[in-house]
Amino acid sequence: MNKKIKSDEVSHLFEAILTLKSIDECYQFFEDLCTVNELLSLAQRYEVAKMLRDKSTYLDIAGKTGASTATISRVNRSLNYGNDGYDMVFERLKREKRRKNEEEALY
């Protein structure tokens, strides 16, 4: 964990985010918290990370997301040398999707 960002203020923000219970609540909160460009940049980085994990090329990623090669490289560096945050979320989402599919198969 990056000691540069660890603070009471950041912890309070994360605690607030953890109270959100739906996508609609996320939209409400993040639209108040972030500018449109900040939110779109975060979403773009997340999409870049997903595409990198799916082995897409930089050219495909840039074409589909509009991300610069510098942004793609930065996200790739986080995937390879970061705190494994992206992979943690990807794995949880995969498990959740699998669980939902299994539930639907029962009905």
Side-chain angles (χ1 to χ4, degrees), residues 37-62:
N37 285 339
E38 289 168 337
L39 193 50
L40 293 175
S41 291
L42 292 171
Q44 182 187 64
R45 286 186 212 142
Y46 182 76
E47 290 302 314
V48 167
K50 286 191 331 187
M51 292 181 76
L52 285 167
R53 275 296 176 245
D54 290 340
K55 306 294 185 208
S56 296
T57 66
Y58 275 36
L59 188 60
D60 286 341
I61 295 168

Side-chain angles (χ1 to χ4, degrees), residues 22-32 39:
S22 69
I23 289 177
D24 286 338
E25 287 185 3
C26 288
Y27 273 102
Q28 284 180 281
F29 181 72
F30 281 96
E31 283 184 46
D32 285 347
L39 193 50

Side-chain angles (χ1 to χ4, degrees), residues 64-80:
K64 289 180 182 169
T65 67
S68 68
T69 56
T71 295
I72 298 167
S73 293
R74 194 168 28 251
V75 172
N76 195 41
R77 196 168 32 257
S78 292
L79 283 169
N80 292 317

